[in-house]
Amino acid sequence: NPDVINIRLEFDNACVANLNCSRITPENNHYGLFTQQDRITRIDFLTNEITIIKPEKSELSDDNNYALNPVTKKVIPNNPILDELINFVSSIINNSKLLSKPEDGFKSLYLAEKIMDSINKVSISH
């Protein structure tokens, strides 16, 4: 049983997701880190916060100096499955639109399967 797992997923749009799992870390933390060309997004699943770090050109100098001004926002926790079911019932009663189409679920499942295939290929080759 491995104690540390690190996975780097590179997407076609140049977004990179680093996934780390460890049973031996001294801190109790659960977060995702997503690196894009123009920002870094950190999602903290314990505190329900999203932090976006975007380099901005510093106004204090004429050089190509950039300041990192992180912006953190609190995310209100919810139960997405319950939200979908409530919306489904409401759409039937009120003849209104669904939050997501069945095709969206298929796309999510397809993407998850592709990620698992990629992870399995890496695991087998190492």
Side-chain angles (χ1 to χ4, degrees):
N1 293 333
D3 288 324
V4 177
I5 298 172
N6 179 292
I7 297 172
R8 178 183 169 100
L9 299 173
E10 297 183 27
F11 296 92
D12 291 339
N13 67 354
C15 179
V16 176
N18 290 306
L19 306 175
N20 299 289
C21 300
S22 172
R23 292 188 294 164
I24 58 175
T25 182
E27 298 94 23
N28 184 18
N29 52 27
H30 301 276
Y31 64 89
L33 190 64
F34 302 90
T35 307
Q36 294 174 269
Q37 290 177 333
D38 64 338
R39 74 188 60 171
I40 297 171
T41 304
R42 183 179 191 271
I43 303 172
D44 189 324
F45 298 105
L46 288 179
T47 62
N48 292 318
E49 292 179 338
I50 294 178
T51 302
I52 298 173
I53 303 169
K54 196 171 183 178
E56 297 173 352
K57 196 158 186 152
S58 176
E59 297 176 9
L60 301 175
S61 94
D62 294 332
D63 299 337
N64 286 332
N65 291 333
Y66 288 86
L68 299 177
N69 299 318
V71 175
T72 301
K73 295 186 178 188
K74 192 81 172 158
V75 177
I76 299 169
N78 69 332
N79 182 335
I81 295 173
L82 180 61
D83 291 347
E84 286 279 340
L85 290 172
I86 290 170
N87 177 253
F88 180 70
V89 170
S90 174
S91 69
I92 293 171
I93 293 171
N94 301 318
N95 195 25
S96 59
K97 282 185 144 184
L98 289 170
L99 285 173
S100 60
K101 299 175 275 191
E103 295 85 13
D104 296 335
F106 175 75
K107 288 176 187 176
S108 297
L109 185 59
Y110 177 74
L111 178 60
E113 192 172 299
K114 286 185 77 163
I115 290 171
M116 288 304 300
D117 287 345
S118 295
I119 291 170
N120 289 332
K121 286 178 187 174
V122 171
S123 297
I124 293 170
S125 67
H126 285 72

